[in-house]
Amino acid sequence: MVWTGTWVAERLGVELIGHEELPALLGLALRRNPKRAHLLVSSVLGKHVPQRPSVVYGSGLDLGRRVRALLGDEEAARSVVLGYAETATALGHAVADGLGLAPYLHSTRRPVAGVARAGGFEESHSHATSHLLLPEDPKLLAGDGTLVLVDDEFSTGNTVLNTVRALHERYPRDRYVVVALVDMRSPSDLGRLDAFAAEIGARVDLVSGAAGTVRLPDGVLEKGQALVRRHETPYEPATRAAAGAAVRIDLGWPEGVPDGGRHGFTPAHRAALETALPTMARRIAEAVGGAEAATTTGALAAMETLAATGAPTAAEPLATTEAPAATHGPAATDAPAPTDGAATDGPAATDAPPTGDAPPAAAPTPPGPPPAGPRVLVLGFEELMYAPLRLGTALEDAGHDVRYSTTTRSPVLAVDDPGYAIRTRIVFPAHDDPADGPGERYAYNVAGAGFDAVVVVVDSTADTPALHAPDGLLAQLAAHIPRVVLAVVPSYEPSTPHATSTPYAPQVSDAEDHEDSEAPERSSMLPEPLRGPAFSSYAPEEVGWLLQDLSDVELEAPTEEREEAIQSGGAHYAESLPVEYQPNARYQELFRSALESSAARIARAVGTVTETVLAERPGRNPVLVSLARAGTPVGVLMRRWAAARHGLDLPHYAVSIVRGRGIDANALRWLAAHHDPADVVFVDGWTGKGAITRELAEAISVFEETEGITGFDPEIAVLADPGSCVRTYGTREDFLIPSACLNSTVSGLISRTVLRADLVGPDDFHGGKFYRELADADVSNDFLDAVAARFDEVTGTVDIDVKELLATDRTPTWEGWAAVERISEEYGIHDVNLVKPGVGETTRVLLRRVPWKILAKRGADADLAHIRLLAEQRGVPVEEVDDLPYSCVGLIHPQYTKGATGADGKAVVSQ
């Protein structure tokens, strides 16, 4: 049989080195991922390659029995097993089943309201990296027994180290066991686990089924990406109408059993499920029974019909590798594995962690003749792997011809070649309303595999209209497989916000210890970005907010109280929020008039700054990171321009930066884990005196020095740069940007960001509020749509502007900073932070602070109508001046205390 890694190995020079059984256990494919070129495709995991359920389950069971032999029954009963989403959730379950005595939890990317996070970690090379830990009982991880971490492969060790580091800080313990189907660490990574164990003062053992490494030639990432581009073809969904709707059955879990292990799975749960499995399998077999007449021959005839209509199929029926579990050799710890399925008390393991050089796995054995009857695929759903796997084993035990695999988020190139591990792919939209927004999902090696029936197992959260839509998963499967059965299991619903009544209590010594073991209110986890409509009125694909939601916290304070506290040094401006100013009808009409008259001008600036950013990064797709909140509408518009003009789908996030406190370092860590820092482009609305420009440059320098993460460019791209503080801008004119006229109601209903020690811990994102109650006054999307509607008419002008800009010396002159220093001294303020230059900053002064007076450039009336109206409403004088590099400058009341006057002896009218 041709090794399913041949195609990649021949083209990229990638080598699989190690036990001679590795080619039977692993194939190679190419990721559509900017961080890693290759993908190790397991033939015994049941993720990308359909496999007999008994082989998949048996590989995990065997590893679990070896871990029990290593630990002994007493320690095994005190341990907790943790699996990794999404690939290793069923493998972790099977390992826990092999231990027999330990509760199980797997990480998840699906948040659940009412369930406290008990930790989390990052998987740096993955396409979707942040993992949540959401046990029903938050004390599950608080015990001091061994933590067993299970993943499909142990490659660099980064994922495990990130996990242990995050959990050990909160719940220290003496021992960890790492379990993987294959240990594929490079020679340079082999010592990291030992060094890390010594660093934290704990023992770390490794149990794997086979060992080896992947030798990568220089430049493999770039070569792999080029190969993907060369062979990637647009996916055309199958267009053959399904013969009928999928057969739907509801499979109830045994009472009290949480769904799939996301929230804890105990030995008691395991026993209840084992009892219920035969009945559940019989119901599925009855539903599949309608496919008895659809033999494999019939399925192949149907596929020939599909080929004639242009639907994608394999050139030949896909051969499913019948490799045995890669875990039947002696344990890597030299502790003998039980031979009868029961755990034994083997000899103690050595004191030093194993080196990872596991003995070879058992040689593959030829499969026996397949059972009679239809060929059935049980297809799980992303993280929901264990339930469909066990349903598959029950069907197999009953004599059915069954294979098992699951859908996935992983974007992988498909090549119809026997020497490539991913032969075909089915593409469909996400159907579980994921927290990180919509996107493509995949089922690999299913089309063209000769299945007569497919049983799709999802939980009730994922049983949505999108699943049943014409382009949804069920329709795509029906175009390739004669009979589709949908089996739905109930999703977990917490009984209380912090349930503590589940049967797995950790070992605690007294009531004080019990109290201390509660999960933290916020953990060191870096969660996925917040997105609309749950957070902000923007569409989820428009922006992801790297903030934590403080919407339920009372943070607003009267303007005068805030100003007094800020100027007296008693509080920082970011520790509270101003009361959201709601404009009257006259001001709202002025906003709409200003938007109508300036939309084309703004569109031109948007196009100019976007095209400049793209021109400065040829061949790369920028990652837009707007500085919340003024930069966020600009970032959304830049993203829309790139999509409309170039067909680009640029990632866009919003992060917090606070004057005097720097940029959110946790947001930078998240960005570095998900994207190449060199691709990040920071975006803001406008520059004033350049304070934020300086703040960002200093913060990036400190971050790189302390974190060792480099590559971020501290340059900011702005719509308007009247202060001449940056190199990348849409214009250097100081004109009215209507998004500066309002607060949250033009910024997705999001507050200014908050940084307060009692709310934002060292491992948290900065905070922000979503003002849902202001939805009736929201014009955020009106602003975006009005500007985007003018893109086409300014395209020619933008091309000329960009050509001229790129040929111009754009070195910042910091003219604005010099003007601010001069004004500060001339007006007796002596604090540049109280001088806010430009239309945008002056508007902020009038909306959020205690203004003293406004300086207006003589003749700049066209852009200052709203400034004059706000000044009139607040009793603030407007002084006409000459020789001003800005259209206007706002002066904050100097030396303000409640009821005090400014340098001219005048007080101001409260808002």
Side-chain angles (χ1 to χ4, degrees):
M1 180 179 291
V2 177
W3 175 45
T4 57
T6 303
W7 192 91
V8 174
E10 290 177 346
R11 286 160 177 79
L12 292 185
V14 176
E15 296 182 69
L16 193 65
I17 301 170
H19 296 155
E20 60 184 14
E21 289 77 16
L22 280 177
L25 304 175
L26 296 172
L28 291 174
L30 293 178
R31 298 173 183 259
R32 292 187 287 130
N33 181 319
K35 298 179 183 178
R36 184 179 288 186
H38 70 284
L39 175 71
L40 295 175
V41 181
S42 172
S43 63
V44 298
L45 184 65
K47 189 64 181 175
H48 304 91
V49 178
Q51 179 58 274
R52 284 183 296 161
S54 58
V55 171
V56 177
Y57 189 51
S59 59
L61 276 178
D62 187 71
L63 286 168
R65 291 165 181 158
R66 290 170 55 191
V67 174
R68 180 167 173 173
L70 169 65
L71 298 177
D73 284 0
E74 182 178 349
E75 182 58 25
R78 298 177 65 244
S79 63
V80 176
V81 182
L82 175 63
Y84 288 87
E86 64 177 34
T87 307
T89 57
L91 177 64
H93 253 299
V95 170
D97 289 356
L99 264 76
L101 305 172
Y104 174 69
L105 175 73
H106 74 69
S107 65
T108 179
R109 295 186 177 99
R110 180 193 289 177
V112 177
V115 180
R117 294 199 301 266
F121 49 90
E122 294 292 318
E123 185 178 8
S124 58
H125 66 266
S126 175
H127 62 285
T129 66
S130 292
H131 294 244
L132 299 166
L133 297 177
L134 303 176
E136 184 179 36
D137 183 346
K139 301 183 299 298
L140 174 63
L141 296 169
D144 58 1
T146 300
L147 182 63
V148 181
L149 303 104
V150 183
D151 207 354
D152 57 313
E153 65 178 80
F154 193 50
S155 50
T156 64
N158 288 337
T159 303
V160 169
L161 297 187
N162 287 337
T163 309
V164 174
R165 192 182 301 279
L167 291 177
H168 193 78
E169 181 178 348
R170 175 68 182 174
Y171 308 117
R173 60 189 77 228
D174 295 329
R175 191 172 187 181
Y176 299 86
V177 177
V178 179
V179 182
L181 285 174
V182 289
D183 174 11
M184 302 300 292
R185 288 175 295 169
S186 67
S188 62
D189 287 324
L190 287 176
R192 294 182 63 203
L193 200 60
D194 294 357
F196 180 73
E199 175 190 334
I200 65 173
R203 175 174 172 175
V204 182
D205 295 301
L206 174 64
V207 175
S208 66
T213 190
V214 179
R215 182 175 293 167
L216 303 175
D218 292 339
V220 68
L221 180 59
E222 293 75 14
K223 293 176 183 176
Q225 291 173 339
L227 199 56
V228 168
R229 288 193 296 269
R230 191 155 60 246
H231 290 272
E232 183 80 281
T233 57
Y235 180 81
E236 295 293 337
T239 56
R240 185 180 75 95
V247 176
R248 186 185 191 280
I249 57 174
D250 290 293
L251 296 176
W253 283 106
E255 186 175 355
V257 177
D259 68 334
R262 287 186 181 96
H263 310 288
F265 206 84
T266 70
H269 296 147
R270 192 173 295 124
L273 182 60
E274 291 289 345
T275 301
L277 274 174
T279 300
M280 297 167 76
R282 276 198 300 274
R283 291 196 60 202
I284 290 177
E286 290 169 359
V288 171
E292 289 287 353
T295 62
T296 301
T297 302
L300 292 176
M303 284 188 287
E304 290 174 3
T305 302
L306 287 177
T309 64
T313 62
E316 57 182 289
L318 297 176
T320 301
T321 304
E322 300 286 359
T327 52
H328 294 173
T333 57
D334 295 331
T339 56
D340 59 357
T344 61
D345 293 321
T350 58
D351 291 336
T355 64
D357 293 329
T365 55
R375 180 177 169 86
V376 179
L377 172 68
V378 177
L379 185 67
F381 156 60
E382 295 187 28
E383 295 173 10
L384 187 66
M385 297 181 67
Y386 183 66
L389 174 61
R390 296 311 317 279
L391 291 170
T393 59
L395 287 168
E396 194 175 2
D397 289 344
H400 297 277
D401 185 8
V402 185
R403 298 297 182 274
Y404 157 82
S405 65
T406 80
T407 65
T408 175
R409 287 173 164 228
S410 300
V412 186
L413 176 70
V415 177
D416 188 17
D417 187 284
Y420 188 81
I422 302 295
R423 299 283 297 279
T424 65
R425 64 173 175 149
I426 291 175
V427 183
F428 55 95
H431 53 86
D432 62 336
D433 297 323
D436 57 347
E440 289 184 347
R441 301 295 187 261
Y442 312 93
Y444 295 114
N445 292 331
V446 172
F451 293 113
D452 303 302
V454 58
V455 180
V456 183
V457 183
V458 303
D459 56 13
S460 53
T461 297
D463 184 21
T464 62
L467 176 66
H468 300 263
D471 62 344
L473 173 60
L474 299 181
Q476 295 305 309
L477 290 170
H480 296 281
I481 300 174
R483 188 169 181 82
V484 179
V485 174
L486 175 64
V488 182
V489 298
S491 297
Y492 170 75
E493 295 183 3
S495 55
T496 61
H498 301 284
T500 57
S501 59
T502 47
Y504 43 96
Q507 305 296 317
V508 292
S509 58
D510 55 32
E512 183 176 351
D513 287 340
H514 178 84
E515 183 69 24
D516 288 344
S517 66
E518 292 291 338
E521 191 170 353
R522 277 181 296 278
S523 73
S524 59
M525 176 60 191
L526 294 179
E528 288 297 303
L530 301 172
R531 294 182 183 273
F535 188 85
S536 91
S537 59
Y538 292 133
E541 68 274 10
E542 299 267 39
V543 60
W545 301 83
L546 295 178
L547 299 174
Q548 61 167 314
D549 189 353
L550 300 180
S551 299
D552 296 329
V553 181
E554 188 66 37
L555 292 166
E556 291 75 15
T559 302
E560 290 82 359
E561 290 183 11
R562 294 184 71 250
E563 196 65 51
E564 180 178 5
I566 292 168
Q567 292 197 29
S568 67
H572 190 277
Y573 78 88
E575 294 178 352
S576 64
L577 293 173
V579 177
E580 281 282 310
Y581 167 76
Q582 291 307 299
N584 59 23
R586 181 182 171 195
Y587 188 87
Q588 289 176 337
E589 180 56 35
L590 190 151
F591 165 80
R592 294 192 177 278
S593 174
L595 177 57
E596 181 178 353
S597 63
S598 63
R601 193 177 184 184
I602 297 167
R604 177 179 174 181
V606 168
T608 299
V609 70
T610 308
E611 294 293 343
T612 302
V613 165
L614 294 173
E616 291 174 334
R617 294 161 180 81
R620 302 180 74 96
N621 285 346
V623 176
L624 303 177
V625 177
S626 58
L627 303 180
R629 70 185 167 183
T632 308
V634 178
V636 174
L637 286 169
M638 291 176 66
R639 184 181 183 278
R640 288 191 179 188
W641 179 279
R645 185 80 188 276
H646 302 285
L648 298 176
D649 184 13
L650 301 185
H652 176 215
Y653 308 99
V655 303
S656 170
I657 187 168
V658 177
R659 181 171 50 78
R661 304 284 180 87
I663 196 168
D664 187 343
N666 286 317
L668 293 182
R669 293 187 190 101
W670 191 96
L671 290 166
H674 291 71
H675 300 282
D676 185 342
D679 288 337
V680 168
V681 178
F682 294 103
V683 175
D684 207 356
W686 55 84
T687 65
K689 56 183 173 287
I692 291 299
T693 306
R694 294 171 184 257
E695 189 81 41
L696 180 61
E698 182 178 350
I700 294 294
S701 176
V702 171
F703 177 81
E704 291 186 342
E705 182 177 346
T706 56
E707 297 292 326
I709 299 174
T710 60
F712 287 108
D713 183 353
E715 180 77 30
I716 305 177
V718 299
L719 199 62
D721 179 36
S724 187
C725 305
V726 299
R727 292 184 67 259
T728 307
Y729 50 86
T731 179
R732 278 186 167 156
E733 296 179 4
D734 183 23
F735 70 99
L736 171 61
I737 301 173
S739 61
C741 292
L742 301 172
N743 286 319
S744 66
T745 53
V746 78
S747 303
L749 297 181
I750 301 302
S751 73
R752 204 210 59 239
T753 60
V754 175
L755 180 57
R756 204 170 81 189
D758 61 326
L759 298 173
V760 180
D763 298 311
D764 294 328
F765 292 142
H766 293 186
K769 296 186 71 168
F770 177 25
Y771 291 115
R772 298 172 179 83
E773 65 275 16
L774 300 180
D776 289 344
D778 186 28
V779 294
S780 303
N781 289 293
D782 294 347
F783 170 71
L784 298 175
D785 293 345
V787 175
R790 312 299 285 272
F791 283 171
D792 287 345
E793 69 183 71
V794 301
T795 297
T797 308
V798 165
D799 289 342
I800 296 171
D801 290 345
V802 173
K803 185 176 181 180
E804 292 177 353
L805 267 180
L806 294 176
T808 301
D809 181 5
R810 293 175 284 141
T811 304
T813 65
W814 296 93
E815 177 185 4
W817 187 272
V820 166
E821 290 183 324
R822 174 177 56 81
I823 292 170
S824 176
E825 295 306 311
E826 285 182 2
Y827 284 82
I829 296 173
H830 309 300
D831 183 352
V832 292
N833 290 324
L834 300 181
V835 180
K836 302 295 184 180
V839 177
E841 293 301 305
T842 301
T843 305
R844 287 179 169 185
V845 170
L846 290 162
L847 292 177
R848 302 183 195 168
R849 304 293 293 270
V850 177
W852 176 35
K853 64 175 60 178
I854 306 300
L855 307 182
K857 184 177 182 179
R858 206 178 309 277
D861 292 343
D863 290 313
L864 301 184
H866 77 293
I867 294 289
R868 295 183 185 278
L869 177 58
L870 284 174
E872 175 188 324
Q873 291 176 349
R874 298 202 60 184
V876 179
V878 178
E879 181 179 325
E880 302 280 346
V881 297
D882 297 308
D883 193 26
L884 197 65
Y886 302 93
S887 295
C888 61
V889 174
L891 305 182
I892 294 174
H893 203 296
Q895 301 176 346
Y896 182 83
T897 56
K898 205 168 185 179
T901 59
D904 62 353
K906 295 181 180 179
V908 295
V909 178
S910 297
Q911 184 174 313

